[in-house]
Amino acid sequence: MITLDVNGAAREVDADPDTLLLYVLRDQLGLNGAKFGCGLGQCGACTVLVDGRAVFSCVTPVSVLPGRKIRTVEGLGTAENPGPVQRAFIEEQAAQCGYCIAGMIVRAQALLERDPSPSEAEIRRHMAPNLCRCGTHMRILRAVKKVAKA
Ligand code: FES
Ligand code: FES
């Protein structure tokens, strides 16, 4: 058994140490916000926060995570009470198919916690590892800028 700190709660999981975090989140903990896109650390659909940094959960084994704080998009707000980044994504209608959006929100959250007022250039640089195949990048950028301004 491995104990993980997920969204502020200690969660016991029965997983081989090499098991990748994305599968534990989705298959054992019922947290389906993070998505499987490429499985290779190249698209960002699976992004979660680990100690405040955006991490690709599809290439992160659970063995490196005990004692570290994991947060997923579910930990940033609820449907009834979305967090500021989630709210901005809704207001800007940043999702088309929505597949990339949990990862985008989580990556933006990492930036805004580190720097509440990033420049547009910094937002673009920070968000670059996460891809959106629907091409809603400009709406995503607007949503992140909205939170940064607020
Ligand atoms: S699914 Fe993890 S980076 Fe693509
Ligand atoms: S909204 Fe479809 S992949 Fe981004």
Side-chain angles (χ1 to χ4, degrees), residues 21 35 46 52 67 100 107 129 133-134 141 143 150:
L21 175 59
K35 301 287 188 288
C46 65
C100 70
R107 179 164 293 278
R133 63 189 165 187
C134 296
L141 181 61

Side-chain angles (χ1 to χ4, degrees), residues 20-37:
L20 300 166
L21 175 59
L22 179 62
Y23 301 114
V24 168
L25 293 174
R26 293 182 60 88
D27 299 341
Q28 292 198 36
L29 301 181
L31 297 169
N32 294 316
K35 301 287 188 288
F36 180 93

Side-chain angles (χ1 to χ4, degrees), residues 94-101 104 131-137 140:
Q96 189 167 331
C97 80
Y99 205 79
C100 70
I101 292 297
M104 292 287 186
L131 308 180
C132 172
R133 63 189 165 187
C134 296
T136 67
H137 300 88
I140 291 168

Side-chain angles (χ1 to χ4, degrees), residues 60-100:
T60 304
V62 291
S63 59
V64 303
L65 295 170
R68 305 178 73 182
K69 292 191 184 314
I70 301 160
R71 280 181 295 157
T72 68
V73 73
E74 291 90 344
L76 304 183
T78 62
E80 298 72 29
N81 190 19
V85 183
Q86 293 169 324
R87 189 181 304 279
F89 272 66
I90 295 166
E91 287 171 358
E92 293 299 328
Q93 292 287 290
Q96 189 167 331
C97 80
Y99 205 79
C100 70

